[in-house]
């Protein structure tokens, strides 16, 4: 064959793409498809297992399909075996030889793995370490009293978290802050668990041929130096963050006059944690911009109007139907939408979406409140996403990058919390808030979002910089505090050293790729970018027109917004996430624009207020961490 090619080359000079392998190409494509078909069959049987679990969970113990349903662990092991073998089989496929671009993408996505690329013993070890780190958060490990035998130890989440949210004493905050950290890092446990885990992440990266381990951590973002892109968003929103930070710091000094904060502009870490937890707490330590303009209480009306969780679900489903997306059928409500038991779901009680094509299913939290009402809108978005992407080939039937789906969900959450939407639901009488109420609400949203985003970034950057070796093993703790200083203006409450390991509980939660801080960051930032685009498309947001501010847009009934959502959802992972986000936003990069435009009225108010109070935004804090 080669000689024929050469001959062709000699005969027809120029213009002919003479590829010696062009016929291998066909073979490659065929054999690749065969591998993928076998894998798809195996995936179907895993979906079948998941379906049995769902049915068993929702039929009071009896398995309607007969026999015992498999356990979650079995499903997880099967999935691991499948993706592990498949990646090995696909790793020999010469990807550049595949002409079918979708096939090429499928192979690329399935041939490289994160933790699941580890060999079985190592994979088991990584899961043990993740469990250990989860136990730092939810295990009863902390003695909050001198005598631990007298009272059961407490867990960080939810007990200490709730105590911290409610307390009005700074001593409690700093005591809890300190106690949890010493409890989990007793005998260097927290730190060494983290070190072991990072070692496995590095090994997973070498299996992918990645010299820089973070390439594997950021695998699906498929971008050189993805961290730089996230960092640029942090700097973009920094002017707004600094104003909010200054206002909150001032509030903290008022709230804790005896705390003796340093005069350096930084916020003490336990106070920042408390404020974050108080975003929707009625007795928060930071004052509302307009204390007399209380937000209308929705709880009572919500119970009257929505009556049952089922009714909330239907209303949320109607929201998506009004955009022209899938209609949830009666069959779905009868068979695949089930209520969780009251003792399930834990303190957060998050509804769960199940994916076992051709069906998708929902298990919803039976609670009935404002927050659940908003959350279920996010859950319904996920359900819609699953309905669209189940049409795609196995391997491409996912979001294009982690956090993309929850970013879409975030837009529905934002929409459902607006006065405009609450009025449509007959919960509020008016479809807008007064100016004072709007600012009160924006401040709470700001605490919820703007304080959290730099923390996601710091947690993610710390992990990645350690992984890539930019932070050395004998400078972990002080390096962490330098990041807190640089990006968030946050300081430890007391002197710290390298004997300590001070990351917060969200850091550990983010060690799991499924709940990573990267993912959280993307879903917030991209969420606001999408929200802005849908609101522009619906005509409910008109920049510069105070009658149509971004923060009161619900894009309900907007087929323009619906078309954008559908088009993105239908693509699954068939294209690069930048191509897909461009459909809605016209942009190919993460940007802080959505956040900045959403919070524009708050930014203006904060600047004026800080000026009145003679507060200088920014910080210049001394380092409170030394090596020793
Ligand atoms: C490749 O195979 C096709 C038939 O499948 C044949 O027509 C063609 O000439 C072959 N090309 C080369 C470069 O061998
Ligand atoms: C991988 O290849 C082996 C050997 O051909 C085969 O037995 C196995 O089923 C394949 N597994 C997957 C998931 O492709
Ligand atoms: C949104 O608009 C549609 C009209 O297309 C309406 O039927 C639906 O009830 C609205 N949603 C809510 C929550 O009011
Ligand atoms: C929904 O939009 C259509 C046009 O797209 C309009 O005719 C209808 O009145 C709208 N319904 C509501 C409830 O806003």
């Amino acid at each position: 064959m080669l000689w024929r090619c050469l001959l062709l080359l000699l005969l027809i000079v120029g213009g002919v793409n003479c590829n010696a392998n062009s016929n291998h190409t066909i073979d490659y494509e065929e054999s690749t498809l065969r591998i993928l078909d076998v894998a798809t069959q195996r995936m179907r049987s895993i979906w079948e297992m998941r379906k049995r679990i769902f049915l068993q969970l929702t039929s009071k113990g009896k398995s309607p399909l007969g026999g015992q349903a498999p356990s979650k662990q079995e499903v997880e092991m099967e999935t691991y075996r499948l993706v592990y073998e498949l990646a090995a089989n696909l790793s020999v496929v010469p990807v550049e030889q595949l002409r079918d671009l979708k096939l090429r993408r499928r192979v690329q996505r399935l041939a490289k793995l994160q933790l699941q690329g580890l060999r079985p013993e190592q994979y088991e070890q990584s899961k043990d370490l993740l469990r250990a780190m989860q136990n730092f958060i939810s295990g009863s490990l902390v003695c909050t009293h001198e005598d631990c035998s007298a009272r059961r130890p407490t867990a960080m989440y939810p007990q200490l978290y709730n105590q911290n949210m409610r307390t009005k004493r700074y001593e409690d905050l700093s005591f809890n802050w300190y106690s949890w950290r010493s409890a989990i890092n007793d005998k260097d446990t927290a730190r060494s668990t983290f070190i072991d885990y990072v070692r496995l992440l590095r090994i997973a990266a070498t299996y992918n041929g990645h010299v820089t381990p973070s390439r594997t951590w950021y695998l699906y973002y498929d971008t050189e130096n993805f961290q730089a892109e996230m960092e640029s968003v942090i700097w973009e929103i920094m002017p707004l963050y600094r104003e909010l930070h200054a206002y909150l710091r001032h509030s903290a000094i008022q709230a804790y006059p005896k705390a003796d904060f340093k005069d350096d502009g930084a916020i003490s870490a336990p106070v920042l944690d408390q404020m974050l937890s108080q975003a929707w707490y009625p007795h928060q330590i930071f004052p509302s911009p307009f204390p007399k303009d209380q937000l209308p209480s929705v709880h009572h009306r919500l119970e009257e109007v929505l009556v049952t969780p089922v009714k909330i679900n239907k209303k949320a489903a109607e929201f998506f139907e009004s955009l022209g997306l899938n209609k949830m059928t009666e069959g779905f409500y009868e068979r695949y939408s089930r209520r969780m038991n009251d003792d399930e779901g834990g303190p957060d009680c998050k509804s769960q979406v199940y994916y076992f094509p051709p069906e998708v299913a929902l298990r919803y939290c039976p609670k009935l409140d404002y927050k659940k009402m908003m959350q279920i809108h996010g859950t319904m978005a996920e359900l819609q996403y699953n309905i669209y992407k189940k049409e795609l080939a196995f391997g491409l039937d996912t979001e294009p990058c982690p956090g993309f789906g929850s970013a879409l969900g975030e837009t529905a959450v934002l929409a459902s919390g607006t006065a405009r939407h609450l009025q449509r639901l007959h919960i509020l009488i008016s479809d807008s808030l007064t100016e004072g109420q709007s600012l009160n609400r924006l401040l709470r949203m700001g605490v919820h979002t703007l304080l959290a985003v730099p923390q996601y970034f710091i947690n993610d950057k710390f992990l990645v910089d350690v992984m890539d070796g930019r932070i050395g093993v004998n400078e972990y703790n002080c390096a962490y505090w330098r990041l807190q200083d640089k990006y968030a203006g946050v300081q430890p409450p007391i002197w710290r050293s390298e004997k300590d390991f001070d990351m917060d509980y969200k850091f550990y939660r983010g060690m799991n790729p499924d709940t990573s801080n990267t993912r959280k960051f993307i879903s917030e930032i991209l969420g606001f970018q999408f929200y802005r685009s849908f609101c522009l498309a619906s005509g409910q947001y008109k920049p510069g027109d105070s009658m149509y501010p971004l923060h009161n847009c619900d894009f309900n009934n907007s087929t323009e917004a619906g078309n954008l959502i559908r088009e993105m959802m239908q693509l699954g992972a068939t294209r690069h996430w930048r191509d897909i986000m461009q459909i809605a936003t016209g942009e190919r990069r993460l940007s802080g624009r959505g956040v900045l435009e959403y919070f524009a009225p708050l930014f203006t108010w904060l600047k004026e207020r800080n000026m009145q109070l003679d507060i200088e935004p920014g910080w210049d804090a001394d380092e409170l961490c030394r090596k020793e």
Side-chain angles (χ1 to χ4, degrees):
M1 196 186 76
L2 189 60
W3 66 266
R4 253 173 57 189
C5 229
L6 285 173
L7 195 67
L8 260 173
L9 245 182
L10 288 173
L11 291 175
I12 315 162
V13 183
V16 177
N17 179 7
C18 187
N19 187 340
N21 288 322
S22 66
N23 273 12
H24 289 159
T25 297
I26 294 165
D27 296 345
Y28 285 141
E29 293 201 339
E30 275 176 5
S31 62
T32 304
L33 279 172
R34 270 199 302 277
I35 297 176
L36 288 170
D37 284 346
V38 172
T40 305
Q41 287 307 326
R42 272 176 65 179
M43 197 63 217
R44 288 216 179 94
S45 67
I46 291 174
W47 288 332
E48 192 56 32
M49 287 163 84
R50 283 199 206 147
K51 181 172 174 177
R52 292 170 65 118
I53 292 182
F54 172 81
L55 292 175
Q56 169 136 334
L57 275 171
T58 54
S59 63
K60 304 190 179 68
K62 294 189 296 289
S63 175
L65 301 179
Q68 190 67 26
S71 70
K72 266 196 175 141
Q73 286 72 23
E74 283 173 89
V75 173
E76 223 223 300
M77 263 337 273
E78 272 305 301
T79 312
Y80 164 71
R81 278 193 213 108
L82 169 60
V83 297
Y84 182 81
E85 272 178 42
L86 180 59
N89 290 358
L90 290 177
S91 66
V92 296
V93 172
V95 179
E96 328 71 54
Q97 303 284 339
L98 304 175
R99 278 168 314 179
D100 179 343
L101 292 183
K102 269 195 191 154
L103 182 61
R104 194 187 279 193
R105 230 189 129 65
R106 250 179 116 184
V107 172
Q108 277 166 339
R109 284 184 73 93
L110 292 167
K112 285 191 166 47
L113 296 170
Q114 296 177 300
L115 289 175
Q116 288 179 319
L118 293 170
R119 302 189 201 299
E121 327 78 69
Q122 292 171 333
Y123 179 63
E124 279 305 320
Q125 200 190 343
S126 76
K127 287 201 307 182
D128 288 344
L129 292 168
L130 282 174
R131 267 191 292 272
M133 290 189 278
Q134 177 58 42
N135 193 50
F136 295 160
I137 304 170
S138 53
S140 303
L141 303 171
V142 190
C143 296
T144 48
H145 296 266
E146 299 295 318
D147 176 16
C148 213
S149 58
R151 287 179 72 168
R152 200 174 130 76
T154 324
M156 177 69 219
Y157 194 87
Q159 285 90 358
L160 283 188
Y161 177 88
N162 284 333
Q163 272 181 28
N164 290 342
M165 182 173 79
R166 296 200 183 100
T167 188
K168 290 190 161 27
R169 290 161 26 111
Y170 180 71
E171 305 86 88
D172 293 346
L173 290 178
S174 55
F175 181 76
N176 286 344
W177 189 91
Y178 176 79
S179 308
W180 178 68
R181 282 166 180 76
S182 13
I184 64 168
N185 202 36
D186 183 34
K187 305 197 188 83
D188 208 29
T189 311
R191 189 163 166 281
S192 61
T193 309
F194 171 70
I195 291 174
D196 290 347
Y197 183 69
V198 167
R199 191 179 64 87
L200 293 175
L201 289 173
R202 285 186 179 141
I203 295 174
T206 63
Y207 293 162
N208 287 331
H210 289 152
V211 182
T212 314
S214 60
R215 279 305 293 243
T216 288
W217 181 252
Y218 293 137
L219 185 62
Y220 302 104
Y221 300 100
D222 196 16
T223 294
E224 204 70 58
N225 198 0
F226 185 59
Q227 192 185 87
E229 185 165 342
M230 292 200 283
E231 178 165 353
S232 71
V233 173
I234 293 289
W235 293 121
E236 203 183 341
I237 63 176
M238 191 53 86
L240 169 58
Y241 179 82
R242 281 160 54 101
E243 295 290 339
L244 178 65
H245 178 279
Y247 176 76
L248 292 176
R249 184 183 137 80
H250 178 79
S251 314
I253 295 172
Q254 310 288 311
Y256 301 120
K258 283 183 279 172
D260 191 26
F261 296 125
K262 285 213 170 47
D263 190 20
D264 55 12
I267 293 182
S268 172
V271 175
L272 184 100
D273 291 346
Q274 181 182 42
M275 287 173 165
L276 249 171
S277 71
Q278 289 184 335
W280 299 106
Y281 180 65
H283 312 292
Q284 81 282 16
I285 66 160
F286 50 89
S288 300
F290 295 91
K292 291 205 195 77
D293 294 340
Q294 292 235 334
L295 287 170
S297 162
V298 295
H299 186 74
H300 186 64
R301 265 306 275 169
L302 193 126
E303 282 187 338
E304 266 175 18
V305 172
L306 295 174
V307 199
T308 62
V310 175
K311 187 127 185 230
I312 294 196
N313 296 349
K314 292 211 169 162
K315 282 289 165 195
E318 270 174 32
F319 171 72
F320 289 94
E321 285 160 24
S322 87
L323 307 178
L325 304 185
N326 296 298
K327 183 163 168 45
M328 303 317 288
T329 59
E330 276 313 309
F332 169 79
Y333 287 114
E334 271 162 34
R335 302 180 52 193
Y336 294 111
S337 167
R338 298 293 171 87
R339 181 194 163 111
M340 284 178 171
N341 299 327
D342 291 334
D343 56 348
E344 265 178 289
D348 284 337
C349 190
K350 284 242 168 73
S351 304
Q352 288 171 352
V353 169
Y354 286 70
Y355 183 65
F356 38 79
E359 309 304 338
V360 299
L362 169 70
R363 296 191 70 221
Y364 57 87
C365 168
K367 279 196 200 145
L368 193 68
D369 60 32
Y370 181 57
K371 202 170 155 194
K372 285 286 156 258
M373 187 279 291
M374 295 203 291
Q375 277 175 358
I376 197 72
H377 281 77
T379 309
M380 281 291 165
E382 202 186 329
L383 209 60
Q384 289 282 345
Y385 209 161
N386 282 348
I387 297 175
Y388 286 115
K389 62 194 171 55
K390 73 186 164 69
E391 305 303 326
L392 298 165
F394 161 57
L396 298 177
D397 60 342
T398 63
E399 55 186 349
C401 65
F404 199 95
S406 34
L408 289 170
E410 189 64 28
T411 67
V413 172
L414 287 170
S416 69
T418 58
R420 190 190 289 267
H421 198 72
L422 294 172
Q423 192 256 357
R424 278 193 224 275
L425 290 170
H426 309 291
I427 292 172
L428 288 187
I429 298 165
S430 168
D431 68 356
S432 62
L433 300 174
T434 66
E435 203 186 326
Q437 288 172 328
S438 279
L439 282 162
N440 291 346
R441 180 166 176 272
L442 281 174
L443 179 71
R444 286 186 179 273
M445 294 290 291
V447 168
H448 177 74
T449 307
L450 297 169
L451 286 194
V453 165
Q455 294 299 316
Y456 297 143
F457 177 71
I458 290 166
N459 283 338
D460 200 56
K461 182 171 169 62
F462 178 78
L463 167 67
V464 160
D465 284 357
V466 165
M467 203 188 296
D468 287 354
R470 285 183 294 274
I471 294 176
V473 71
N474 48 15
E475 54 166 353
Y476 282 172
N477 208 40
C478 294
Y480 173 74
W481 286 115
R482 280 197 295 276
L483 296 178
Q484 283 289 0
D485 178 46
K486 180 170 178 189
Y487 297 104
V490 171
Q491 252 189 346
I494 38 175
W495 269 99
R496 306 300 278 166
S497 78
E498 285 304 334
K499 289 201 196 82
D500 307 307
F501 194 68
D502 287 332
M503 287 80 232
D504 67 354
Y505 81 94
K506 289 180 184 155
F507 175 77
Y508 297 104
R509 193 177 60 196
M511 289 300 106
N512 188 334
D514 293 340
T515 51
S516 71
N517 284 292
T518 330
R519 184 188 278 269
K520 297 264 184 213
F521 184 94
I522 303 297
S523 77
E524 287 289 351
I525 295 301
L526 198 53
F528 276 93
Q529 279 179 275
F530 285 150
Y531 180 66
R532 174 179 176 275
S533 308
F534 301 160
C535 289
L536 281 172
S538 72
Q540 284 191 17
Y541 169 43
K542 298 183 180 157
D545 184 340
S546 63
M547 297 299 287
Y548 295 92
L550 183 53
H551 60 80
N552 198 29
C553 150
D554 78 345
F555 60 89
N556 184 59
N557 193 34
S558 165
T559 44
E560 293 84 358
N563 289 341
L564 297 175
I565 296 176
R566 186 185 322 99
E567 205 180 326
M568 293 198 289
M569 286 185 171
Q570 279 174 335
L571 284 169
T574 53
R575 287 166 54 191
H576 198 284
W577 62 275
R578 294 189 196 279
D579 297 335
I580 301 181
M581 80 173 273
Q582 192 177 12
I583 293 169
T585 65
E587 299 165 300
R588 298 182 60 80
R589 285 178 64 83
L590 296 176
S591 106
R593 196 166 173 188
V595 172
L596 290 174
E597 289 183 26
Y598 185 92
F599 288 108
L602 179 68
F603 192 22
T604 308
W605 182 83
L606 283 170
K607 277 188 288 197
E608 279 170 14
R609 184 71 188 144
N610 287 339
M611 216 123 76
Q612 272 170 12
L613 293 170
D614 205 13
I615 311 172
E616 181 94 32
W619 51 89
D620 181 18
D622 291 331
E623 215 175 303
L624 283 183
C625 186
R626 65 182 150 224
K627 268 199 163 161
E628 273 184 321

